[in-house]
Amino acid sequence: MDRILVMRSFVTVAKVGSFSGAAKQLGTSGSLISRHVADLEKQLGVRLVNRTARSVSLTEPGLRYSEFANRILDEIDDEDEKIAQLHDRPEGPLSIICPKWIGSLDLGDAIAAFSVAHPKIAVRFELGGMSDRTYDFLDSGFDIAFHTRDLRDSSVRLKKIASLPFVLVAAESYLKEHGELTHPNDLNNHDCLVHANDPVWRIGHGHESTLHKIKNVAFSSNSYIALQKACVHGRGIALLPSRPAYDDLMSGTLKVLLPELAVPSRSLYAIYGPAQQAPRKVEVFLSFLTEWFSANPIPAFE
């Protein structure tokens, strides 16, 4: 027995004073309404209504239960409406998680800008601690997770937010001591600074691109910021995100290597719950970030 459905049938009978009238209001049959009331009486062990050929009246227990059921149903309807409004309004808590290397770069700036632009949304932004299973972020209470992999998983939805440009760089001090890099294959003859999650470098675009598993790892870290600092100090060649390296490139502290080949960008993806329609706060967030990255591009370095 669906207790809420049965209570709603009984309350409607109490209001209109007949099974047929309640059935018409609820869009069902009088026999079904009568059965609902009978099931409720059986469940409670008391008679709730007096039935006559022309009308239905409440017994004393029926009057009391009608008041109780009305109150319960009103609270349920009120809460349903509040939840629906919460889904449709861009406000409330929004929990986001991403790998450390992404969150400490462009994404951190974009989310900070979003928080300022939407003060009614309370942002919780955590770095690291992500599982290999795509959907685990939902079980951990997060609304959105970020990846740079094109995930194909029906348990979540995916949206491309931006492309993150990367550059192959070295400090002038390193190049003076070890010589210029003239071909990707020469990476084996140089000291390289490697991210722990990125041991294979792709150089070039399209069919001309080549993969290089770095063998001479002089310095490794799970932080691109740490790799950039080591690179600035002349420790070796690094593959870095363009945005944090921008100032060092503009000042000449770092130099782009093999500019004629370039390095492919990494796509930044947001993944979120599989619901047919995402909450409004999620839609607003994803739209804002897409526009932010579009409005704040990093120029190409040559």
Side-chain angles (χ1 to χ4, degrees):
M1 179 177 65
D2 185 333
R3 191 62 173 267
I4 301 301
L5 177 61
V6 168
M7 288 172 66
R8 199 174 294 279
S9 294
F10 170 68
V11 164
T12 307
V13 168
K15 287 179 179 178
V16 302
S18 72
F19 293 123
S20 59
K24 185 176 181 180
Q25 186 167 322
L26 294 175
T28 186
S29 67
S31 61
L32 182 59
I33 296 295
S34 179
R35 188 162 68 248
H36 284 172
V37 174
D39 287 345
L40 186 58
E41 290 177 321
K42 183 177 180 180
Q43 173 73 24
L44 297 174
V46 297
R47 185 159 50 89
L48 299 175
V49 299
N50 294 311
R51 298 165 174 83
T52 67
R54 295 186 177 181
S55 66
V56 174
S57 62
L58 299 181
T59 63
E60 184 176 347
L63 181 60
R64 178 173 176 175
Y65 194 82
S66 174
E67 292 174 351
F68 162 76
N70 260 309
R71 185 168 64 253
I72 294 299
L73 293 173
D74 284 346
E75 288 185 11
I76 290 174
D77 291 342
D78 183 57
E79 191 62 26
D80 285 350
E81 184 178 354
K82 288 179 180 177
I83 294 297
Q85 290 177 352
L86 186 62
H87 184 279
D88 295 336
R89 290 199 301 258
E91 59 184 54
L94 182 67
S95 297
I96 306 155
I97 189 169
C98 74
K100 289 182 180 179
W101 77 267
I102 303 176
S104 60
L105 305 177
D106 308 48
L107 190 58
D109 292 328
I111 292 177
F114 170 81
S115 185
V116 172
H118 295 275
K120 289 187 177 181
I121 297 179
V123 174
R124 169 192 170 203
F125 182 35
E126 292 195 10
L127 308 183
M130 296 185 67
S131 167
D132 290 335
R133 292 190 298 181
T134 306
Y135 53 83
D136 271 4
F137 74 99
L138 294 171
D139 295 337
S140 299
F142 291 95
D143 300 296
I144 301 168
F146 284 93
H147 285 276
T148 53
R149 293 177 290 132
D150 187 356
L151 303 167
R152 299 299 178 185
D153 191 327
S154 60
S155 64
V156 295
R157 298 174 70 187
L158 177 145
K159 176 181 174 64
K160 182 178 178 181
I161 299 297
S163 293
L164 305 178
F166 275 63
V167 284
L168 189 66
V169 297
E172 289 287 358
S173 59
Y174 173 83
L175 297 174
K176 286 180 181 179
E177 182 176 348
H178 296 85
E180 292 282 343
L181 178 69
T182 58
H183 191 277
N185 290 338
D186 293 338
L187 285 169
N188 291 331
N189 302 321
H190 283 272
D191 294 337
C192 295
L193 318 179
V194 179
H195 194 281
N197 296 325
D198 196 17
V200 178
W201 293 356
R202 181 182 292 275
I203 308 297
H205 286 280
H207 66 278
E208 296 181 353
S209 68
T210 53
L211 293 174
H212 301 269
K213 183 173 176 56
I214 304 305
K215 298 178 180 179
N216 188 14
V217 180
F219 186 99
S220 67
S221 174
N222 64 349
S223 165
Y224 279 110
I225 294 176
L227 294 176
Q228 182 177 335
K229 292 181 181 297
C231 192
V232 167
H233 282 80
R235 186 63 186 92
I237 295 173
L239 183 63
L240 299 175
S242 296
R243 190 179 297 273
Y246 180 81
D247 289 342
D248 289 331
L249 288 165
M250 292 301 293
S251 68
T253 303
L254 294 179
K255 178 182 177 180
V256 176
L257 307 179
L258 306 177
E260 69 280 3
L261 294 179
V263 177
S265 297
R266 313 284 175 85
S267 294
L268 177 63
Y269 296 99
I271 59 175
Y272 52 105
Q276 195 168 30
Q277 182 176 4
R280 181 62 179 153
K281 61 186 176 183
V282 170
E283 293 179 344
V284 169
F285 174 76
L286 298 178
S287 177
F288 181 94
L289 258 66
T290 302
E291 293 174 3
W292 187 92
F293 278 98
S294 178
N296 293 274
I298 289 295
F301 295 100
E302 299 180 355

